[in-house]
Amino acid sequence: MFVVVHMSHLFTLLFIPFSVVLAQFNGLVTLNETLTAGDKDAFWLSPSKDFAFGFHRLMNNDNVLDFDFTDEHYLLAIWYYKLGPDVTIVWHANTTTVPRGSTLELNIHTGLVLITSSSQSGDQVVWKTELKEGEGGGGFVSYGLMKDTGNFVLLDENRKVIWESFRHPTNTLLPTQTMKIGDVLYSQKSLTDFSPGEFKFSLHENGNVLLNFTSLFNFETPVTYHKIGFNIGGHAYQINFDAKGNLYLLSSDRKICIAKSDDAIVSPSKHYLKVTLNFHGVLSLSYCPKSNHNTTEMSWKVLKAIPDDICNDLIVPRSMGTGPCGYNSICKVRYDGVPTCKCPIGYSFLNPNSNYSGCKPDFQQLCDDNGNKMMSMKDLPKTDWPQSDYELIEPSDYEECKNNCLLDCNCFVAIFNFDNNRCFKNRLPLSNGRESEKLKHAMASIKYMNASLINTLHIPSSNKTYKIIMTLMFILLGGSLLINAVVLSSSLLNCSNKLIRSNGNSVVMSLRRFTYKELTEATKGFKEELGRGSYGIVYKGKTEFGTDIAVKLLKDYLVRMRKNSKPN
């Protein structure tokens, strides 16, 4: 690679410190150097090669689902270079991902400039460093330097720092980095979405260190779920993350520890250290060995999590969203304070590749006598879904609470409090789900469809000598119709082509997915109605093989269908 240096800056380069000259191809970035997304080694390394600054490609793997990978996507970022394929990004430009062919250039007037190009809009500047007087600006950029601390800096002709990544943090602090009043760490939206998420870590002007939840959908007052430094006296002015791995708050008369490293476990010479506000809202002090990078030991371990139980400490108002695990899920912290998420019985993850995506019910609640007979209640000790209740029954007892929910078509979970004999009936979506030893007084009972009860149903025949026994579930069709006709053949009694075989207490079902056109033809245009529920209407139909089926249309689809059928 050839480097072109303006003659006006040749004199300046002669006075660059000798240590910087030695780092010319490891840390020093001269004017007019460029990086191109998609090129091999499209990054600048620190002298020790611990950190790289440049274009990081977001790979298409099981953990990355947020992007269309028919095109390549890159992020302008700083990351740990030696940590192998599991890249740990510690800083990124405040922009969206950019396509292959995007360029980063260091110029004299604006410093770093990120440019994308397309046939429709031509060259477009999507990000650049802002050189302000408050950062020592006023001069021209002379050169850049990727330091071994993980800080990328721009310096003027007097070797003064006029921009640095440490003063523009994203979600991570590195040793020797500081935060001043007004500085903020933002969580990511998810593991793969690097735009700002719902959690913030900041030093407030009143001297308090705050962890806040801020809804991305409305402008309600943020929810503070952890606070440090209240009534400490003096004037707090800075957060320091020192070289030994200690995070503390400085005031005019004292120092308050926020998170302390463990000298018996961690050595700065042998371990990488970082403080990260994770996408799930936990602020973690973590370490990773610098050696053994090709072994299973090469992973980040949490020394301190703040708060130590986010599942219990964070309760989001219903109008603002839900907790770290999403709707209809259950949050439980691990030994290291990291929240884990699971779905209750009868529910599954919205995104099978992300346990933090929330859960969806795998059944539809039927609002009639037979529907109620198909539902069961599963007890979940020490579990609660606050902010999801719509009715309180008091006084009550445990069995009464469960039965009341079982017979209520709007109720999906009953929460019984043994301390005060209160019963809370909850509806979907279930928010802030949590399981904790602190909830020994609570018992959740969740409703689910019990397939083993199908044979106990009694459905009267109508002008037929056979029975139609079915389970109604859903699949996505056309973005607005959820249908999954699970067909139980009338041949349960007489037909040789059996779709259901009873063997003891087991029921074996053959499932088929129908298109909307097939269902329209099978029901003759949804002509014969079998029954109604709170979510829609059930219609009778017959397949091309003569098998009787039932199909349920959701109410919102029915409204649109009838609206579209009206003459103009």
Side-chain angles (χ1 to χ4, degrees):
M1 178 176 64
F2 295 95
V3 178
V4 178
V5 181
H6 290 288
M7 291 300 296
S8 60
H9 292 279
L10 183 58
F11 181 79
T12 300
L13 289 174
L14 292 175
F15 288 89
I16 294 175
F18 182 70
S19 60
V20 173
V21 175
L22 289 178
Q24 188 167 7
F25 297 102
N26 291 334
L28 179 67
V29 181
T30 57
L31 288 173
N32 299 319
E33 276 201 71
T34 62
L35 298 174
T36 301
D39 285 359
K40 183 180 179 181
D41 299 336
F43 49 79
W44 296 312
L45 291 174
S46 66
S48 66
K49 298 185 179 180
D50 282 336
F51 293 95
F53 174 49
F55 289 107
H56 167 59
R57 184 183 177 188
L58 300 176
M59 302 303 294
N60 185 10
N61 55 48
D62 291 339
N63 295 319
V64 180
L65 298 174
D66 293 354
F67 303 101
D68 177 8
F69 284 96
T70 54
D71 297 320
E72 295 179 11
H73 292 258
Y74 293 83
L75 190 69
L76 180 59
I78 298 174
W79 64 90
Y80 285 98
Y81 180 69
K82 295 180 179 179
L83 292 188
D86 296 326
V87 173
T88 302
I89 292 174
V90 297
W91 179 90
H92 60 86
N94 185 22
T95 183
T96 58
T97 58
V98 294
R100 183 184 183 90
S102 301
T103 59
L104 178 70
E105 179 184 0
L106 178 63
N107 69 46
I108 187 173
H109 297 291
T110 57
L112 297 170
V113 181
L114 177 59
I115 300 173
T116 61
S117 180
S118 67
S119 57
Q120 291 82 12
S121 58
D123 291 347
Q124 183 179 1
V125 175
V126 295
W127 177 83
K128 62 182 179 180
T129 50
E130 300 289 343
L131 307 179
K132 297 181 180 179
E133 293 185 4
E135 297 181 75
F140 296 111
V141 176
S142 181
Y143 62 95
L145 190 64
M146 183 66 248
K147 303 177 72 173
D148 281 335
T149 58
N151 189 19
F152 188 87
V153 300
L154 299 179
L155 300 98
D156 65 10
E157 60 272 17
N158 297 315
R159 299 196 296 273
K160 289 184 178 179
V161 175
I162 55 177
W163 185 89
E164 57 181 318
S165 59
F166 269 18
R167 291 296 303 127
H168 302 273
T170 49
N171 69 336
T172 298
L173 295 177
L174 296 173
T176 72
Q177 192 167 356
T178 64
M179 290 180 64
K180 301 184 184 301
I181 290 176
D183 289 348
V184 179
L185 293 187
Y186 291 93
S187 67
Q188 297 173 191
K189 276 189 178 180
S190 69
L191 278 173
T192 57
D193 188 342
F194 291 86
S195 56
E198 296 177 315
F199 301 97
K200 296 193 303 183
F201 174 70
S202 62
L203 176 57
H204 198 265
E205 59 185 9
N206 62 13
N208 289 329
V209 178
L210 303 177
L211 278 169
N212 286 334
F213 171 90
T214 304
S215 174
L216 298 177
F217 307 105
N218 59 47
F219 298 98
E220 293 189 33
T221 303
V223 176
T224 298
Y225 59 98
H226 195 80
K227 180 163 55 177
I228 302 169
F230 184 66
N231 293 330
I232 65 171
H235 177 65
Y237 62 89
Q238 185 169 289
I239 296 173
N240 278 12
F241 185 32
D242 67 22
K244 294 182 178 181
N246 301 304
L247 186 68
Y248 53 87
L249 174 65
L250 286 178
S251 73
S252 56
D253 63 349
R254 70 183 73 181
K255 181 168 69 174
I256 296 179
C257 180
I258 301 174
K260 183 176 176 58
S261 182
D262 189 338
D263 295 338
I265 299 175
V266 176
S267 168
S269 63
K270 297 180 180 180
H271 297 90
Y272 295 122
L273 291 154
K274 67 182 180 76
V275 169
T276 299
L277 180 58
N278 299 280
F279 69 92
H280 45 60
V282 174
L283 185 77
S284 59
L285 168 60
S286 307
Y287 70 97
C288 178
K290 291 183 178 181
S291 59
N292 300 323
H293 297 311
N294 295 319
T295 71
T296 56
E297 296 179 7
M298 189 195 67
S299 61
W300 290 95
K301 295 180 174 59
V302 178
L303 276 173
K304 174 67 176 177
I306 303 173
D308 56 7
D309 188 352
I310 191 170
C311 300
N312 221 35
D313 293 349
L314 174 62
I315 298 180
V316 179
R318 189 176 181 87
S319 60
M320 295 180 66
T322 185
C325 288
Y327 288 109
N328 305 323
S329 60
I330 301 173
C331 177
K332 184 178 181 179
V333 294
R334 296 189 321 205
Y335 65 93
D336 56 4
V338 175
T340 61
C341 309
K342 64 181 179 180
C343 294
I345 185 172
Y347 292 72
S348 59
F349 288 114
L350 282 170
N351 180 352
N353 294 284
S354 174
N355 291 359
Y356 295 91
S357 62
C359 305
K360 59 180 176 64
D362 296 328
F363 63 93
Q364 184 205 1
Q365 184 159 218
L366 304 177
C367 297
D368 53 34
D369 290 341
N370 284 309
N372 289 333
K373 291 177 182 177
M374 294 172 65
M375 308 306 293
S376 292
M377 303 293 286
K378 174 69 174 179
D379 290 342
L380 303 173
K382 305 172 187 176
T383 303
D384 191 11
W385 276 277
Q387 300 290 319
S388 300
D389 55 284
Y390 66 94
E391 184 178 343
L392 168 64
I393 302 174
E394 63 175 341
S396 181
D397 61 50
Y398 171 57
E399 290 298 332
E400 178 189 7
C401 185
K402 284 206 306 184
N403 290 332
N404 197 300
C405 181
L406 183 62
L407 299 176
D408 185 343
C409 193
N410 295 312
C411 183
F412 282 78
V413 174
I415 308 292
F416 186 74
N417 188 320
F418 287 98
D419 287 347
N420 53 27
N421 294 322
R422 286 184 164 189
C423 174
F424 297 88
K425 293 163 66 175
N426 292 17
R427 61 189 171 192
L428 298 184
L430 304 169
S431 62
N432 301 290
R434 54 198 179 135
E435 178 185 342
S436 173
E437 288 298 320
K438 300 176 183 177
L439 298 173
K440 293 181 179 180
H441 61 281
M443 175 69 79
S445 299
I446 190 164
K447 189 184 293 185
Y448 70 100
M449 183 173 286
N450 190 341
S452 65
L453 297 178
I454 292 175
N455 283 334
T456 67
L457 299 184
H458 174 70
I459 303 179
S461 60
S462 175
N463 300 322
K464 296 285 184 180
T465 59
Y466 56 83
K467 297 178 181 179
I468 302 174
I469 302 176
M470 68 203 78
T471 302
L472 298 176
M473 303 173 76
F474 293 106
I475 61 171
L476 185 63
L477 179 60
S480 60
L481 176 62
L482 293 176
I483 306 175
N484 187 7
V486 181
V487 183
L488 305 190
S489 173
S490 61
S491 60
L492 179 63
L493 296 179
N494 301 311
C495 183
S496 61
N497 181 23
K498 293 183 179 179
L499 294 179
I500 297 182
R501 298 187 303 274
S502 180
N503 182 14
N505 292 325
S506 65
V507 176
V508 181
M509 291 183 285
S510 175
L511 305 182
R512 174 181 170 185
R513 180 173 294 181
F514 293 86
T515 66
Y516 178 70
K517 181 180 178 181
E518 288 175 328
L519 291 174
T520 303
E521 293 174 351
T523 59
K524 297 181 179 180
F526 303 98
K527 183 178 180 181
E528 184 175 349
E529 183 178 320
L530 290 177
R532 292 173 177 258
S534 63
Y535 293 98
I537 303 175
V538 181
Y539 294 93
K540 180 182 177 181
K542 186 185 292 289
T543 70
E544 66 269 31
F545 301 109
T547 303
D548 292 287
I549 63 172
V551 179
K552 186 162 189 173
L553 295 185
L554 293 183
K555 277 185 177 179
D556 64 337
Y557 182 80
L558 286 168
V559 171
R560 281 192 285 270
M561 186 172 66
R562 289 167 181 166
K563 182 178 179 180
N564 293 335
S565 66
K566 292 181 180 180
N568 293 328

